[in-house]
């Protein structure tokens, strides 16, 4: 007897055989998919299950995997979007104006946004470059996201930019203690965080996520080599993915100095400005490129997506949500990547919809070393399933060319139902684990506290808002 039987929905499992079952079923035992296939295979008799859920009018897909975002960004989105010193603003907020309540409230808000858009596995770097002085913010953020029911991977590793940085720890009575943050703090905090938080909750994983790896311009060659080695050591010792931002020259430096770092467990976010040789190195080593179509570095630089894919480089699409100007809606980025690549190469045939769907499901799952668990609907894998409501004008009449219809026309808000680990986490767009109202209220209160401490109007006011250019 199965625990749950899902029936009557179209099923697009994104499996290696590229099945599409117009009317399919999925049987679930515990947190796993026990069986799935076309309903006609059942011969008119439904198997026994404790709970039977008919999902007529919906399409079942594997939960989306968003390989990169920034914890904290949901409470600073839009702020300072017009300012050139945005990075400094983000650092000031994260290091000097936040407390555990901020990180918990943001974790829950981000997880609610992502889950409601159909992302069931989410990766976040804590803060912007990120914040590295204490493990507690990571713990609070993981706890907030876990409360919503998402599968969350959050990391820190090392920060970049000028040191020493200032940080404040806020007490309940409104006072604070201020201290200097040095680069050495990062390694200690990362290891302490790995020890403290992994295994605490079945859907929380702490990963190693330094702000940048390779040849960081603010550091000496020797310091960079030491840093890259240390990040690799932590990754191997605790058996977690290694996740970082990287740009032109970084891959070459890693290859020349610490080639052991370049494995398929390494995901390099943004990856703009790579040389021909760096593309060859990526193809040889299997290290992943996590491409955010709308991230700033991809607007000012160039991630050579088509060349990478043609040369066999592993690649996934990520949102890089949500500050200052992005969304956690991965459905948007399915369209963004097509539009940008087709425009760049003046070729409308590039990146068909099936391939794009894989770049948001099974490919990022592989990069995280989790493709045996998530990223497609197959027997033995986790029951991380989403259902899209296709009985809506912008998707109707639904039936023919379903993959293209979804990738071109569906949006995050069309996701009606979400299951993670065999548990229904959203039903008719209502979260089941938390009160959405409470998540919103807690986030608003944390935002107000942060803004009071920051005390800056200039990040809200844009005198060029209706001009041709801002700033
Ligand atoms: Zn990023």
């Amino acid at each position: 007897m199965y625990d749950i039987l899902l029936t009557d929905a179209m099923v697009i499992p994104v499996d290696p055989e590229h099945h599409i079952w117009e009317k399919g079923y999925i049987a679930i035992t515990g947190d796993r998919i026990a069986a799935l296939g076309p309903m006609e295979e059942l011969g008119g008799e439904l198997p026994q299950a404790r709970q039977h859920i008919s999902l007529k009018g919906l399409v079942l897909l594997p939960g989306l995997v968003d390989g990169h975002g920034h914890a904290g960004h949901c409470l600073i989105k839009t702020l300072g979007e017009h300012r050139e010193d945005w990075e400094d603003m983000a650092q000031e907020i994260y290091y000097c104006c936040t407390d555990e309540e901020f990180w918990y409230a943001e974790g829950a808000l981000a997880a609610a946004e992502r889950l409601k858009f159909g992302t069931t596995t989410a990766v976040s770097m804590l803060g912007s470059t990120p914040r590295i002085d204490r493990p507690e913010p990571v713990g609070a953020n993981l706890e907030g996201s876990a409360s919503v029911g998402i599968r969350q991977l959050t990391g820190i590793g090392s920060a970049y930019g000028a040191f020493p940085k200032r940080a404040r720890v806020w007490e309940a009575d409104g006072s604070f203690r201020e201290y200097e943050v040095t680069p050495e703090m990062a390694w200690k905090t990362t290891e302490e965080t790995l020890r403290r938080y992994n295994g605490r909750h079945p859907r929380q994983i702490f990963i190693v996520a330094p702000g940048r790896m390779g040849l960081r311009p603010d550091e000496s060659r020797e310091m960079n080599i030491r840093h890259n080695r240390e990040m690799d050591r932590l990754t191997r010792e605790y058996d977690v993915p290694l996740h970082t931002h990287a740009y032109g020259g970084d891959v070459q430096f890693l290859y020349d100095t610490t080639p052991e770092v370049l494995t398929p467990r390494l995901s390099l976010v943004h990856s703009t400005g790579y040389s021909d040789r760096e593309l060859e190195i990526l193809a040889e080593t299997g290290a992943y490129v996590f491409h955010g179509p709308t991230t700033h570095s991809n607007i000012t630089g160039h991630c050579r997506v088509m060349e990478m894919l043609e040369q066999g480089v592993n690649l996934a699409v990520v949102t890089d949500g949500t500050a200052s100007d992005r969304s956690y809606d991965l459905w948007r980025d399915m369209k963004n990547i097509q539009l940008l690549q087709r425009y760049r190469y003046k070729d409308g045939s590039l990146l068909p919809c099936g391939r794009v769907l894989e770049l948001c499901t099974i490919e990022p799952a592989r990069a995280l070393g989790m493709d045996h668990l998530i990223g497609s609907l197959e027997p033995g894998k986790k029951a991380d399933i989403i259902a899209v409501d296709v009985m809506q004008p912008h998707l109707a009449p639904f039936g023919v060319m379903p993959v293209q219809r979804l990738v071109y026309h569906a949006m995050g808000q069309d996701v009606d139902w979400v299951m993670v680990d065999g548990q229904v986490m959203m039903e008719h767009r209502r979260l089941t684990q938390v009160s959405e109202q409470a998540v919103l209220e807690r986030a608003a209160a944390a935002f107000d506290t942060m803004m009071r401490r920051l005390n800056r109007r200039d990040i809200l006011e844009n005198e060029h808002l209706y001009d041709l250019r801002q700033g």
Side-chain angles (χ1 to χ4, degrees), residues 68 70 245 269-270 320:
H68 184 71
H70 288 263
H245 298 120
V269 187
H270 303 328
D320 194 25

Side-chain angles (χ1 to χ4, degrees), residues 306 310 338 341-342 345-352 356 408:
M306 286 315 300
E310 275 161 8
Q338 286 180 321
Q341 295 307 314
R342 290 174 180 185
Y345 295 94
K346 303 286 177 275
D347 182 349
S349 74
L350 300 181
L351 290 178
V356 167
Y408 286 138

Side-chain angles (χ1 to χ4, degrees), residues 180-221:
E180 277 192 353
V181 180
T182 59
E184 294 71 37
M185 276 177 159
W187 302 353
K188 217 174 125 245
T189 312
T190 305
E191 188 148 19
E192 173 60 22
T193 312
L194 279 161
R195 254 194 239 116
R196 211 190 272 191
Y197 298 115
N198 269 348
R200 258 219 196 165
H201 185 282
R203 286 187 293 277
Q204 293 176 357
I205 302 170
F206 178 73
I207 60 172
V208 178
R212 181 170 177 178
M213 281 179 77
L215 186 56
R216 295 168 303 156
D218 296 324
E219 302 285 351
S220 69
R221 184 184 160 84

Side-chain angles (χ1 to χ4, degrees), residues 61-176:
L61 295 153
L64 303 181
V65 180
D66 181 7
H68 184 71
H70 288 263
H73 274 24
C74 284
L75 287 182
I76 73 163
K77 60 182 177 250
T78 329
L79 303 183
E81 59 90 21
H82 53 296
R83 296 189 59 94
E84 276 179 15
D85 59 354
W86 184 89
E87 284 284 354
D88 296 337
M89 177 207 79
Q91 183 168 299
E92 188 184 351
I93 291 174
Y94 290 140
Y95 276 78
C96 295
C97 306
T98 60
D99 50 22
E100 268 76 297
E101 177 58 22
F102 173 94
W103 294 106
Y104 182 98
E106 197 278 342
L109 185 69
E113 177 180 349
R114 284 172 135 172
L115 200 78
K116 291 196 79 173
F117 286 152
T119 293
T120 52
T121 298
V123 180
S124 300
M125 181 180 281
L126 186 112
S128 198
T129 71
R131 181 170 176 169
I132 47 143
D133 56 309
R134 303 165 65 231
E136 287 81 5
V138 183
N141 199 257
L142 278 169
E143 212 180 302
S145 49
S147 69
V148 176
I150 205 164
R151 193 179 300 289
Q152 180 70 37
L153 295 87
T154 299
I156 57 168
S158 62
Y160 54 86
F163 278 94
K165 302 175 191 293
R166 273 179 325 126
R168 286 178 180 179
V169 172
W170 290 84
E171 309 296 345
D173 64 2
S175 64
F176 61 83

Side-chain angles (χ1 to χ4, degrees), residues 369-384:
M370 298 174 77
D371 53 310
H372 60 298
L373 297 173
I374 58 170
S376 64
L377 303 178
E378 294 177 74
K381 283 200 177 187
K382 293 275 193 182
D384 286 12

